């Protein structure tokens, strides 16, 4: 089966370079066609019903074409690549429209400006995509293009037993990348306990870790049936003074890819960042993909 195209949201700055480098890496690993999209503002209304300022619209188109030329120069002689200039007032919603038009199965964007290097900051573009994108959204950490790894070598999946199961989406990602899977459960230590309960706090954490390990073993058994033969599955329960601290305690490979599931509060078959997934995204120090709620069509 031919993999669905990958859509990279590109702007002529560092975040665009990061998204392009990660999208290119992912597309090469999966054999997918790469589409580079630049979202430009629509033309301004002018006098007369339905008319726009033609000169301004022409300028916007020319500028967008120059931005896409810059992307093409960075990719070099890469075959099977498309370039799209898409008009929309919202960059995230524009990328979602461009992804639908291209039949993309993944949208890749960079971190918002002003975040920590090596991390992901959620700006307006990411916020729009992370609350309604029809396909998984992959975010590149700030500075990813400076030294991208040669390949994506492992998929780490944040797992918690509940109403939304990340295993179907994770299995498709792992199979497409031909990468081993690590299922992790993030166990936050209880904070602010009254003094009379503090002696038992370690027991509470130990029980939570034991329960997480049981859940991970069950999830690994279910995931094994979905993966191609030969792909390894490992599990790990990590604890910390919060979800972010637990995530940061994990050892990451240079080519790590982290995946988390959308919140059950969001619409079906759409990406929707919830409280827990939002903490994971903001604490991530490697590329992270947010999977839509519910199963997507094969």
């Amino acid at each position: 089966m031919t993999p669905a195209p990958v859509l990279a949201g590109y702007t002529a700055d560092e975040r665009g370079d990061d998204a392009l480098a990660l999208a290119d890496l992912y597309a090469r690993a999966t054999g997918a066609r790469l589409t580079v999209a630049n979202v430009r503002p629509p033309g301004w209304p002018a006098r007369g019903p339905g008319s726009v300022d033609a000169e301004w619209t022409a300028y916007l188109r020319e500028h967008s074409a120059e931005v896409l030329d810059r992307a093409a120069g960075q990719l070099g002689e890469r075959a099977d690549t498309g370039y799209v200039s898409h008009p929309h007032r919202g960059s995230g919603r524009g990328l979602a429209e461009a992804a639908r038009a291209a039949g993309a199965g993944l949208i890749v964007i960079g971190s918002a400006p002003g975040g920590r290097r090596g991390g992901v900051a959620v700006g307006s573009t990411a916020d729009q995509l992370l609350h309604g994108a029809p396909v998984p959204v992959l975010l590149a950490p700030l500075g990813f293009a400076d030294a991208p790894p040669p390949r994506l070598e492992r998929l780490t999946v944040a797992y918690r037993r509940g109403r939304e199961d990340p295993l179907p989406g994770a299995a498709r990602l792992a199979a497409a990348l031909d990468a081993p899977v690590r299922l992790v459960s993030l166990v936050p230590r209880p904070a602010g306990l009254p003094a009379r309960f503090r002696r038992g706090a370690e027991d509470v954490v130990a029980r939570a870790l034991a329960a997480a390990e049981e859940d991970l073993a069950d999830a690994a058994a279910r995931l094994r049936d979905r993966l191609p033969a030969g792909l390894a599955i490992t599990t790990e329960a990590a604890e910390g003074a919060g979800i972010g601290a637990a995530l940061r305690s994990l050892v990451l490979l240079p080519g790590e890819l982290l995946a988390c599931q959308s919140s059950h509060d969001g619409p079906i078959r759409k990406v929707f960042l919830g409280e827990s997934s939002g903490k994971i995204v903001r604490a991530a120090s490697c590329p992270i993909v947010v999977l839509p709620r519910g199963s997507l069509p094969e």
Side-chain angles (χ1 to χ4, degrees):
M1 179 183 293
T2 303
V6 174
L7 184 109
Y10 186 75
T11 50
D13 53 19
E14 187 175 26
R15 59 179 169 169
D17 295 341
D18 293 335
L20 191 64
L22 180 55
D24 182 43
L25 186 65
Y26 184 95
R28 290 181 185 277
T30 60
R33 173 180 169 81
L34 176 61
T35 297
V36 183
N38 174 252
V39 177
R40 56 180 171 82
W44 285 350
R47 292 182 179 178
S51 62
V52 296
D53 187 325
E55 185 177 351
W56 176 244
T57 300
Y59 167 77
L60 292 173
R61 287 175 176 167
E62 290 172 5
H63 177 70
S64 185
E66 291 173 358
V67 169
L68 293 173
D69 284 344
R70 181 180 187 270
Q74 292 190 336
L75 289 173
E77 298 297 325
R78 190 189 194 284
D80 200 24
T81 304
Y83 297 89
V84 175
S85 174
H86 188 81
H88 202 285
R89 295 188 184 280
S91 53
R93 289 187 291 272
L95 287 175
E97 285 186 357
R100 291 190 190 95
L106 180 76
I107 299 173
V108 187
I109 60 172
S111 172
R116 61 181 173 86
R117 296 200 71 77
V120 172
V122 176
S124 59
T125 300
D127 188 63
Q128 290 174 14
L129 286 171
L130 294 174
H131 292 90
V135 294
V137 177
L138 175 57
L139 299 107
L142 186 63
F144 181 83
D146 293 343
R151 62 189 180 92
L152 295 170
E153 54 189 315
R154 182 172 64 184
L155 176 66
T156 288
V157 182
Y159 178 81
R160 184 180 67 176
R161 175 172 288 186
R163 283 177 280 182
E164 296 304 323
D165 190 354
L167 298 185
R172 285 196 289 273
L173 274 176
L177 292 167
D178 192 29
V181 179
R182 175 174 60 166
L183 296 176
V184 301
S185 183
L186 306 174
V187 180
R189 290 195 298 269
L193 289 176
R196 65 179 181 276
F197 293 130
R198 287 176 187 163
R199 288 184 179 179
E202 292 304 318
D203 291 337
V204 171
V205 173
R207 289 195 296 271
L209 286 170
E213 288 168 354
E214 289 182 9
D215 290 344
L216 287 170
D218 174 72
R222 290 187 289 117
L223 180 61
R224 202 173 309 279
D225 295 334
R226 294 177 174 270
L227 289 180
L231 285 187
I233 305 172
T234 57
T235 63
E236 184 174 350
E239 55 120 347
I243 288 177
L247 180 64
R248 288 188 290 270
S249 73
L250 295 171
V251 176
L252 302 179
L253 299 176
E256 198 83 49
L257 174 60
L258 177 63
C260 68
Q261 184 71 24
S262 288
S263 169
H264 62 260
D265 294 324
I268 194 72
R269 293 185 177 176
K270 294 287 182 69
V271 170
F272 189 86
L273 201 66
E275 181 179 0
S276 295
S277 52
K279 292 177 180 177
I280 292 172
V281 167
R282 290 173 175 86
S285 56
C286 67
I288 179 167
V289 59
V290 183
L291 303 171
R293 180 187 170 215
S295 298
L296 290 171
E298 297 288 349

